[in-house]
Amino acid sequence: MRNKLIATLLATTLMGGAAFAQDTIELKFTTASVPSDIHTRAMQVFSDALNAAVPDRFDVQLYDSGSLFGQGADLDALQRGNAEVTYLSFQLISDSIPAYNLLTAGYLFQNPEHYRAFLASDIGAEFVQTVSDEMDVQVLDTCYLGTRQLNLRRVLDVQTPADLRGVKLRMPGSDAWLFLGEALGASPTPLPFGEVYLALQTGTIDAQDNPLPTVEAAKFYEVTQQIVMTNHLVDGVNIVVNNQTWDLLDADEQTALRDAAIEACDWNNEERLAEEARLVAFFESEGLEVTEPDLEAFRSHVQGFYADSPRSADWPEGWVDAINALAE
């Protein structure tokens, strides 16, 4: 009888341990972007890929349009443990780690593959580790947001940065974004993404800055008249998970999470490149003027603006040359 009792207790303990090991981990994935935006739809790709790789291990919940947390509050939510996954811009990273404002500089990265090459490099590994140590989040992959252009409420003859003097250009509220707006020659105006459409419609701002697919997804073309193809920033945004969650996972689960992020970004990148290829004609068909400025004048002005500012003093030594070399 005693042996039977011991066997029963042992079996119960093992079964309880197995059940505990399979407890579902909640992953609230939150973003401010609208449902039609490509990287919003990529969240579903992430969820599907993760659930296929590790069935029943994760409860992935997707929140868009700032429905869970407003723009700029997602990072705080992750750090407090109120959400687990979000998109984190290099601009917000540089607000916490000033040396990384280098990664927000205009005309630095050249294409989506350039971001991937950076993450795979030695300096990329240093970047990921530092972000983990100082911001308590794990960078999984970088999704291409597109090449940013200027979208103006009224048509202007824009050839050089001097032509943007006095233009109230909406930028996200972080210091890195506002600095970029200033480098372009405009008067940067911080404004949450969800307020941009109305601000353009009413004239509170004169222009906004985004990749072409975002202009379409948010319907900014309905309240603007011009797109200036400045190509000033090949923009990327990082899928990140908080360390509180990351540290709960075994090595295989961490790999599954990173692979799901890569699959989501692969889908996102392919979709965005295809969209950019068709959107110029679409915007022209909607009555917008699509113009090309003097790109060399913009490039030299923006790069000089960064190099001559105190921001460049914080840049890690040799990183500009190393990043440039990764594109070759």
Side-chain angles (χ1 to χ4, degrees), residues 111-190:
N111 49 52
E113 292 76 20
H114 201 175
Y115 278 112
R116 287 267 177 81
F118 165 68
L119 286 183
S121 69
D122 290 342
I123 59 173
E126 180 182 336
F127 162 77
V128 170
Q129 186 61 54
T130 303
V131 169
S132 176
D133 292 342
E134 298 195 19
M135 300 182 70
D136 205 27
V137 296
Q138 186 74 211
V139 175
L140 301 177
D141 196 26
T142 304
C143 291
Y144 175 54
L145 279 185
T147 300
R148 298 181 79 95
Q149 316 293 355
L150 298 184
N151 183 203
L152 278 63
R153 185 170 179 267
R154 296 285 182 262
V155 176
L156 292 176
D157 181 15
V158 178
Q159 295 298 323
T160 71
D163 298 320
L164 293 174
R165 185 175 297 115
V167 171
K168 290 179 291 184
L169 173 62
R170 178 270 171 180
M171 301 295 280
S174 75
D175 176 66
W177 280 118
L178 296 171
F179 187 87
L180 175 59
E182 188 178 359
L184 289 167
S187 297
T189 302

Side-chain angles (χ1 to χ4, degrees), residues 12 56 93 95 120 139 161 276 308 314 317:
T12 301
D56 302 321
I93 290 173
D95 284 350
V139 175
E276 287 179 326
D308 295 340
D314 293 325
E317 185 176 355

